[in-house]
Amino acid sequence: MATLLNDNMSSQTQISKGTRHVRLCNRTQGAEQLVANIQPAIDSLKAKKLETEKQKDLRDAAQDDVIYNDAILDDAIRNISDEAKLYDRKNPGRPVYLLLFPDGKYSDIVRAAHNKEVQLAEQLAKRIVNLGAEHGLNSCLEPLNTAIANVRTSIGNLETQDTNVKTAIADEEGAQAELRKQYEFNFHDAAKMFGKKYADRLFPKTATKVKKEENEMLEAKQNDQ
């Protein structure tokens, strides 16, 4: 009996087997309807597979944007740390470093997870604002806020792309199910049209099964000698 498709097979495997089935049917007079019945399901799965690959590429690009913008935010925070230290050396009576970095270091901010880092960076920005508009470190505020906004935007884009990938995968799995169902329908229809023995020819065998049959034929020939 022909090997039917199953949900453990990849989309490409199912497409390949479906396409091979179509080629075998095209060589068989009277099997035109089998081709007409299954070709739309094959084409649909091809399209859904391509869409999944496209969405995964877009998600990867969104992930790269997060990493890139996060690095810029890291630099902005490091620059503020450097500027605060320089300010304190020039103004020993008005130190601000511990006001901006209560833990005494900036590394805990830049090492935090992306969403957490944004929150900590916003707290840092608020502390700079509290120093006053005329303070020497106020010039650091604009690049910091820009970096924060860019990271927030890129994180949002990544979340959107994650959702798009999940949707595309679900659609692809649905198309797989439709192809598997039609493949099975085609087998039963072929059996009614041509008989089970002949119908089996219209469905590609797995490589293991083909090799097993070849070995059996070889052993039979050797036994006859």
Side-chain angles (χ1 to χ4, degrees), residues 2-194:
T3 301
L4 299 180
L5 305 181
N6 63 73
D7 57 8
N8 290 324
M9 295 176 176
S10 67
S11 289
Q12 187 56 54
T13 297
Q14 295 184 50
I15 290 169
S16 295
K17 287 184 175 296
T19 301
R20 291 174 64 195
H21 166 59
V22 166
R23 285 199 294 265
L24 293 169
C25 288
N26 282 332
R27 296 174 180 176
T28 303
Q29 186 174 0
E32 296 82 7
Q33 190 58 49
L34 297 176
V35 175
N37 289 344
I38 201 168
Q39 190 63 57
I42 296 172
D43 293 341
S44 176
L45 181 52
K46 285 181 178 179
K48 299 300 183 183
K49 179 176 178 290
L50 288 174
E51 180 64 19
T52 298
E53 292 171 353
K54 172 186 173 182
Q55 294 303 328
K56 286 182 176 180
D57 284 342
L58 291 174
R59 181 186 61 188
D60 289 345
Q63 178 67 58
D64 289 340
D65 283 343
V66 171
I67 294 171
Y68 177 80
N69 288 321
D70 179 74
I72 293 177
L73 177 57
D74 290 348
D75 288 343
I77 293 169
R78 291 189 184 96
N79 289 340
I80 293 171
S81 175
D82 292 340
E83 290 294 327
K85 289 179 180 178
L86 178 61
Y87 181 89
D88 285 354
R89 285 197 296 271
K90 292 181 178 180
N91 302 274
R94 295 180 294 167
V96 298
Y97 194 89
L98 289 179
L99 292 177
L100 300 183
F101 303 97
D103 293 333
K105 54 186 178 180
Y106 71 87
S107 56
D108 288 344
I109 302 178
V110 300
R111 291 174 181 171
H114 299 311
N115 280 305
K116 181 65 175 177
E117 180 178 353
V118 168
Q119 294 173 6
L120 294 173
E122 287 175 336
Q123 294 172 13
L124 174 60
K126 187 174 182 180
R127 294 186 190 111
I128 295 175
V129 170
N130 291 339
L131 294 176
E134 302 302 321
H135 196 279
L137 293 180
N138 192 263
S139 60
C140 299
L141 193 57
E142 183 177 350
L144 176 61
N145 283 333
T146 298
I148 290 171
N150 288 341
V151 172
R152 276 207 176 279
T153 297
S154 57
I155 289 174
N157 290 339
L158 178 58
E159 291 172 349
T160 297
Q161 285 308 132
D162 279 336
T163 299
N164 290 345
V165 168
K166 291 175 183 177
T167 299
I169 289 174
D171 289 344
E172 183 179 346
E173 289 174 346
Q176 287 179 351
E178 287 300 313
L179 177 55
R180 290 195 301 269
K181 181 171 68 175
Q182 188 56 54
Y183 196 87
E184 184 175 354
F185 286 168
N186 267 28
F187 177 75
H188 294 306
D189 290 343
K192 293 176 184 177
M193 295 166 63
F194 304 107

